[in-house]
Amino acid sequence: MGDNGAWLLAGGAALGSLLAAFWSNVRAAYQILASRVVMSLTLDGYQAEAMQCYLRSHFAASSWGPRSYIGWMLYVRPRNRVQVVAMETSPPAGRIYWLGWRALWVGRGGRSEHDLEDGVTASSYQQMSLQLCYVRGLFDPDRLVTEATDFFNRQVYENTQAAGRHHVKHIHGTAGKMRMQGATQRHSSHSVGASHTDLRGCLQYRPLGFAFHQLGTPRQCKLSAVEELALSPEATDLATEALRWKDAEQWYRQRGLPWRRGWLLWGEPGTGKTAFARAVAEDLDLPVFAYDLASLHNDELQREWSAMLTEVPCMALLEDIDAIFHGRENIVAGERGGLTFDALLNCLDGVQRADGLLVVLTTNCLDRIDPAIGQPIEGRATRPGRVDRVVEFAPIDEAGRHRIAHRILPDHPQAWNRLVIDGAGETGAQFQERCAQRALELEFGGCVRSVRTG
């Protein structure tokens, strides 16, 4: 009985091995056959976004199967406010799209953001990855991808032309933050999404209840943002220089000159340095990338700087640099490290070309800025190429105070002279607040005083 049992066990093992080998061969043959019949494409990053945008506009989505939605905070023109807009996207389980009688299965890929390349070609708002499958011969893969890319680029251009390119994106890092156990947070969050007027990140989705032309703030016809400010002659000249620079790309290129400018704006708080930078960006219709240098590591700054250069012409705004660096020393870096002075210099004027970039640095204390960034000497900056102009923003003069008073109190000219006299020596922010309070008092009388003292 024992010998029979051993033979049975041996025979069962042999039969199992034979079946496993047979099944392995069948599965391999099936995979080879399937690959001859079914074409599979994997799209990552911006390319996945482009394909979703193309499918939404050119294909009909099947009404069967699961659905997936995402909420996007956007300015809605018919409502005149920012609100959540529901948008449909490709579900993780996949969905069939039809172009006439031809079918295309689309599902989300299983890659995480850490599986994608760092850099400008693979990064996206959600590190999106798509998997496309169809019967071989129904579509030309190169043509499908090329047409999707061209269509997406046209959509981005048309939407930015309609609403303008100007928006603000805040760049944050992980310096000084706690790390997750077993992994760092270095890749998890470095930037905050753009403003509620920027549609580029959601063009691949299908909005519910609104069309894209109803979303985002349209470019409005108004006075120049710079003209609304009370500027010194030197600051006015700087704004004119920016306008000429923006329109002179070919002039720079023909002469082999870098098409970039760098400014260092200095002065006590409230003198209008940030307001001036914002106004210039609005007038030139430039995206603004505002960097929180205190929170950035070297690799984070370099990665975000490279990504920014894909959106030139644009403005890089580095505010209150004296609060981060005293000379070359990072005074806010703790035990976990932070940004080094050399890494900052390499971004400002390193190996990577930065054509189309307007760099604006601000500081309250000019004497804390290392000459390697830029200091004024005989009317010039000590380090052109990094900082070309160093301009002081002083307390507002009498003519500037008259201009602000006229703008805020256009119906009360009798109040202008008193405000101008009382506001001598004040910064632009202080004098603007003085005028605003007086305008409210004249408009609402005792109601304002009772609210302020109650």
Side-chain angles (χ1 to χ4, degrees):
M1 190 71 177
D3 291 341
N4 291 334
W7 280 106
L8 286 173
L9 289 175
L15 180 60
S17 298
L18 181 63
L19 290 175
F22 174 75
W23 173 249
S24 177
N25 290 330
V26 169
R27 186 172 59 180
Y30 170 78
Q31 291 175 344
I32 293 173
L33 180 62
S35 66
R36 303 293 187 193
V37 177
V38 177
M39 185 71 179
S40 177
L41 305 179
T42 300
L43 307 177
D44 292 327
Y46 289 126
Q47 194 61 63
E49 293 183 13
M51 183 58 70
Q52 280 204 136
C53 180
Y54 183 73
L55 293 173
R56 174 181 62 80
S57 299
H58 292 75
F59 284 64
S62 172
S63 58
W64 298 92
R67 301 292 182 89
S68 181
Y69 297 89
I70 186 173
W72 207 275
M73 293 293 293
L74 287 170
Y75 184 89
V76 180
R77 299 178 197 172
R79 304 283 176 83
N80 291 321
R81 66 173 180 264
V82 175
Q83 65 178 52
V84 175
V85 177
M87 297 192 177
E88 184 182 15
T89 183
S90 297
R95 195 172 183 184
I96 295 177
Y97 288 78
W98 296 90
L99 184 64
W101 58 271
R102 293 180 292 172
L104 179 69
W105 181 87
V106 181
R108 290 189 191 173
R111 301 187 184 189
S112 71
E113 63 177 81
H114 303 294
D115 296 325
L116 297 173
E117 294 181 42
D118 285 332
V120 299
T121 59
S123 299
S124 72
Y125 285 85
Q126 295 185 301
Q127 298 290 0
M128 176 67 70
S129 179
L130 287 184
Q131 192 77 27
L132 277 61
C133 292
Y134 57 87
V135 175
R136 187 180 292 274
L138 291 184
F139 300 96
D140 181 328
D142 289 349
R143 181 177 177 182
L144 182 65
V145 171
T146 301
E147 289 180 350
T149 303
D150 291 342
F151 178 76
F152 183 70
N153 287 333
R154 289 196 303 272
Q155 292 297 301
V156 170
Y157 177 78
E158 290 172 3
N159 278 276
T160 55
Q161 284 294 104
R165 297 182 66 241
H166 174 68
H167 63 273
V168 179
K169 186 173 184 180
H170 296 277
I171 309 297
H172 301 282
T174 58
K177 295 183 180 179
M178 294 296 293
R179 305 282 181 82
M180 298 172 60
Q181 290 185 353
T184 70
Q185 293 179 325
R186 298 288 274 279
H187 291 276
S188 60
S189 61
H190 2 277
S191 61
V192 177
S195 65
H196 301 137
T197 64
D198 189 10
L199 301 179
R200 290 168 300 172
C202 55
L203 289 176
Q204 73 269 30
Y205 305 135
R206 181 175 70 87
L208 276 62
F210 302 97
F212 273 115
H213 70 266
Q214 297 176 298
L215 306 175
T217 306
R219 183 180 299 170
Q220 301 178 2
C221 297
K222 64 173 187 176
L223 292 176
S224 162
V226 170
E227 290 179 359
E228 294 181 356
L229 303 177
L231 300 175
S232 66
E234 191 171 11
T236 301
D237 178 62
L238 203 61
T240 302
E241 174 188 292
L243 180 61
R244 291 172 180 167
W245 168 82
K246 171 73 181 303
D247 295 335
E249 177 181 1
Q250 293 305 317
W251 186 91
Y252 277 85
R253 294 188 185 279
Q254 288 170 0
R255 289 158 178 79
L257 297 173
W259 183 46
R260 71 176 302 283
R261 297 299 287 168
W263 298 342
L264 176 60
L265 313 180
W266 69 281
E268 62 181 277
T271 50
K273 301 181 294 295
T274 301
F276 174 77
R278 180 176 60 246
V280 169
E282 288 182 12
D283 284 353
L284 300 187
D285 197 25
L286 297 177
V288 178
F289 294 80
Y291 289 85
D292 179 15
L293 296 181
S295 69
L296 288 163
H297 289 277
N298 290 351
D299 59 334
E300 292 170 335
L301 176 62
Q302 291 162 0
R303 179 170 56 250
E304 294 291 344
W305 197 270
S306 295
M308 173 189 67
L309 294 180
T310 66
E311 299 200 38
V312 293
C314 63
M315 174 185 289
L317 180 60
L318 292 75
E319 293 195 89
D320 297 325
I321 191 172
D322 58 291
I324 314 299
F325 289 99
H326 284 190
R328 300 191 172 211
E329 178 187 1
N330 187 331
I331 61 171
V332 299
E335 294 180 357
R336 296 185 180 90
L339 188 66
T340 65
F341 188 74
D342 288 342
L344 176 61
L345 292 184
N346 285 335
C347 285
L348 292 176
D349 183 27
V351 175
Q352 189 172 10
R353 287 188 65 90
D355 286 333
L357 182 62
L358 176 58
V359 179
V360 179
L361 302 94
T362 70
T363 179
N364 298 331
C365 301
L366 185 62
D367 57 357
R368 294 181 180 176
I369 305 302
D370 191 275
I373 289 181
Q375 286 278 355
I377 180 171
E378 297 180 357
R380 302 188 177 209
T382 56
R383 194 54 178 84
R386 291 173 183 162
V387 168
D388 305 293
R389 296 283 299 276
V390 181
V391 176
E392 179 183 8
F393 278 66
I396 194 166
D397 61 14
E398 183 176 342
R401 296 198 299 277
H402 267 291
R403 188 169 184 174
I404 291 177
H406 182 275
R407 173 168 57 86
I408 297 177
L409 297 96
D411 300 325
H412 302 282
Q414 73 281 0
W416 296 349
N417 287 337
R418 184 73 264 167
L419 286 167
V420 169
I421 293 172
D422 292 343
E426 292 183 342
T427 65
Q430 292 169 336
F431 186 71
Q432 179 168 285
E433 175 62 18
R434 176 186 292 277
C435 291
Q437 288 296 326
R438 182 57 179 152
L440 288 170
E441 290 171 358
L442 290 171
E443 186 72 23
F444 300 105
C447 295
V448 173
R449 286 189 290 274
S450 63
V451 170
R452 292 168 60 190
T453 58

